[in-house]
Structure formats: structure tokens, C-alpha cells
Amino acid sequence: MDYIQIKLKPGKEESLRRFHPWVFSGAIQSMTGQPEEGDIVEVCDSQGEFIALGHYQIGTITVRVLTFTPENIDIEFYKTRLRAAYNVRQIAGLIDGSYNNTYRLVHGEGDNLPGLIVDIYDKTAVMQAHTPGMHYARHLVAQAVKEVMGDTLQAIFYKSETTLPYKARLDPVNEYLWGSDCGNIATERGLKFHVDWLKGQKTGFFIDQRENRALVEHYAQGRSVLNMFCYTGGFSFAALRGGAKLVHSVDSSSKAIDLTNKNVALNFPDDSRHQAFAEDAFKFLEHMESIYDLIILDPPAFAKHKNVLHNALQGYRKLNALAFEKIQTGGLLFTFSCSQVVNKNDFRLAIFSAAAQARRKVRILHQLVQPADHPVNIYHPEGEYLKGLVLYVE
Ligand code: SAH
């Protein structure tokens, strides 16, 4: 295939030679034509030597690399990448029949498919494009997913209404690319939940907290648990199975509270240990009594861009300080940040300040990260986004 070539300025090929998968607009010297958004382009060094093929897009990140080898980007290409991705999930023990049928099959750059997310909920794959290139490739990708997954899958739902760049004017619709509604109850580590891929946040569930929920379950025995920012209640039913004395779930969205109640009932019908409250986190923490000895804080990304980093860190400090002030002696605080722009050290510093402000004695028991089905491409450290700390508070 003949693609439009993008020639880089001298020296600007270095990060790509080290397999970093992005070309920034400032690195470009010239182009042999004007590509359309979503086109596949060839990236060359200043001498015209081949470096990579990738999806073109208008913006700071101009090309997202699909391959560093000259090859056809066809169904076989996608199938090979998908098989490799599937293999990793299998090795990690995440594909486990009726015990665990919820996992992320494709995690963008982490699976060498920038701009693409595929989450599996039992027999349904929910596919999300973050780039025009992946949007245009959606039917090819869906066909590849279908062929690689075989009988295990019955439907592919495409959900990119909110994830594609607005300026690209692609007007994507959320729709089934294959099959139709085949039930929306999936299982994580033996615990059931409803997934609302039609209207829910992300693809319907926060799959990335699976192992951290298992850790909450491990510590929950006999504890009074507050699950703040509960969304679909994943941490709540893990704590209930772990033997918690009581579990209170809080989220500002009443829809999230309804979902949490529904999901708890699915696993623990009529369990009086659980109660859910639709309330703002800060208000709840300010007014609550000091009855909890296990608190989970899993807020939405406070910073989506670097220029709001300072405010985000203040937000984490304030939130965590409230929890440190109220948590019982001997309590455990599970605290998270899913903001990509907040690095591990910044986050820890914000928590450190919060602990000092509340004058509590605090020890770090665990440092948590994203699980194996959200892999980090070693050449793309930007892919590391989930950070968590488990703190023992005296
Ligand atoms: N812990 C969840 C995921 C949290 S997503 C899980 O395991 O699935 C973040 C949640 O925070 C969303 O459900 C959102 O409705 C809620 N939220 C956002 N701002 C909030 C606020 N100020 N107070 C309480 N909840 C809030």
C-alpha cells in the first residue's frame, strides 16, 4: 500500500526508535500530501527511512503508531494483535468460565493498539474508539474480535459517542456492530453485577479495580466499611463477601446508588448490613460520625489535563484529610487516583500532606496499581494511570 509519508525533523525519530508509539506535531518536517483524519500514514526519519505506520489525527499527538514493521494493516494484523492480547489475559488467569468472565481484552497502547479499548462482559464485547483511525477501522476490528473469540462471544457493542475527539465531527452512534442484547449480568471473581453498557460510565463497569476489590475483601472481616464513590458497588459486595459488619456505599449520582443496590441484592439479597446514600462525598465525610474502620476513596479523575494538576492535588489532599480525621483507630484507608497526569509521587505527597494535616500516625501496607488486563507498554509509561495506597491509621 502507498501511504502518505510523514517525514520527521532530524533527531526527532529517537523516541520512536525506542518504540514510543506517538508522533508529536512539533516533530514533523514535511508530508507528501494532506492526510485525512484517521488515515494510515507512514512515518520516516529525516533521511526518508521507514520507521512506522500509524493512524493520523489533527492535534498534539499527530500519529499513533500501529506497527514498527512494514506490514499490511488488515484483518490479519488485527487478529494477530488480538490473539496476543487474549493470550495475556489467559496467562493471567482472568478467563475463568463462570467465575470470572469480566476482563479488558484490549487496553490501547498497552496492547499495541492505540486508540482501542475492548472490554468483555461474559458474551458481550464492548468496544470503544478513542481515535478517528480506530473509529474507521471499527468494522474490521469487530470482525477480527469475532473470529478470535469464536463461540465465547455473541455480541459486540460499539460505544464511542463520548470518547472520540469532538472536532473530528465523526458523529459516532452507540450501537451493536454484531448480535444484540444477550443479557447484561457478568461475573467478577464469582460476584455478579449488572452492566449498563448503553448508558453507564466507561464501558459500564470499572474492571481495573478487580484485584483491589479482592484486597478489600481480604481485610473486611468484622469491619465497618465506607465505600465512597461506589458507582456500581464493586467494592461494596466484595466487602460484604469478606465478612464486613456493615457496608455503607456513597455516590453523588442516584443512578449509581440504584445500580449499587441492585448489584448488592443480586449477590446478597435482603442483607441488612448494606445501605447506600446518594450524597456528595465532601458533605458526607464532613457530617458523618467516626464509625468506620475501613474506608475506600476511589474518586473520578480529578485532573484530566496537566494545567489543572495543582487543583487536583489539593482535591486529593482535602478528601483524604477528611477521611484521616474520621477513620477509627486501627482503621484501613484504601485511597486511589485514576488521573494519568498525577504521578505516583505527586499522589503520595498529597496523601502525606493529608495525613500530617489530620495529625494521624500512618503506615503504608500496600501500593496498588492497575491489573494485568490493563498492561503498560514498557515504552509508553504514560499508560500507567491507576495508583492506590492501603494505609493503616493509628
Ligand atoms: N469505585 C467505583 C468507581 C468510581 S467512578 C468502582 O469500583 O466501580 C467515580 C464515581 O464518583 C462515579 O460514580 C461518580 O458518580 C462519583 N462522583 C463524582 N463526583 C462525586 C462527588 N463529589 N461525590 C460523590 N460521588 C461523586
Side-chain angles (χ1 to χ4, degrees), residues 176-385:
Y176 282 95
L177 297 179
W178 172 58
S180 56
D181 188 351
C182 56
N184 70 346
I185 294 180
T187 307
E188 179 185 81
R189 301 183 311 109
L191 292 163
K192 293 195 194 79
F193 60 93
H194 296 268
V195 208
D196 185 359
W197 48 76
L198 299 176
K199 296 200 202 74
Q201 299 179 45
K202 301 240 183 157
T203 63
F205 191 71
F206 284 73
I207 302 177
D208 55 2
Q209 290 286 26
R210 180 197 312 107
E211 286 167 23
N212 303 330
R213 291 186 188 118
L215 199 62
V216 163
E217 181 172 346
H218 172 76
Y219 280 107
Q221 182 66 44
R223 291 195 180 257
S224 299
V225 177
L226 171 64
N227 178 14
M228 184 54 79
F229 307 98
C230 63
Y231 187 34
T232 56
F235 282 109
S236 303
F237 39 89
L240 288 168
R241 191 170 67 178
K245 192 158 76 186
L246 71 86
V247 178
H248 289 168
S249 306
V250 179
D251 199 291
S252 56
S253 147
S254 54
K255 266 195 202 151
I257 293 306
D258 291 345
L259 259 175
T260 295
N261 280 326
K262 242 169 98 180
N263 287 337
V264 167
L266 203 57
N267 296 285
F268 304 97
D270 304 319
D271 196 323
S272 60
R273 291 177 299 159
H274 181 255
Q275 262 184 291
F277 307 91
E279 231 186 288
D280 174 74
F282 289 91
K283 280 201 187 127
F284 189 95
L285 288 164
E286 269 163 25
H287 299 306
M288 74 186 196
E289 287 177 51
S290 295
I291 56 168
Y292 304 104
D293 59 359
L294 196 165
I295 298 180
I296 302 140
L297 298 177
D298 183 24
F302 280 168
K304 294 223 159 102
H305 304 286
K306 275 214 172 94
N307 48 9
V308 291
L309 181 61
H310 178 74
N311 291 351
L313 292 174
Q314 297 276 26
Y316 287 118
R317 187 175 53 70
K318 194 173 157 208
L319 180 70
N320 283 275
L322 284 169
F324 279 130
E325 277 160 25
K326 299 284 180 83
I327 197 166
Q328 287 205 340
T329 302
L332 291 164
L333 176 61
F334 284 68
T335 184
F336 297 95
S337 163
C338 59
S339 302
Q340 196 168 25
V341 294
V342 175
N343 69 32
K344 189 175 143 188
N345 290 335
D346 289 339
F347 180 60
R348 196 196 280 200
L349 200 60
I351 305 306
F352 165 99
S353 309
Q357 187 181 325
R359 305 185 63 81
R360 299 295 294 259
K361 202 184 258 178
V362 175
R363 271 176 275 189
I364 301 175
L365 303 192
H366 300 269
Q367 303 185 47
L368 308 178
V369 290
Q370 63 214 61
D373 52 342
H374 295 63
V376 182
N377 176 343
I378 201 163
Y379 305 114
H380 180 255
E382 296 91 333
E384 202 174 334
Y385 69 98

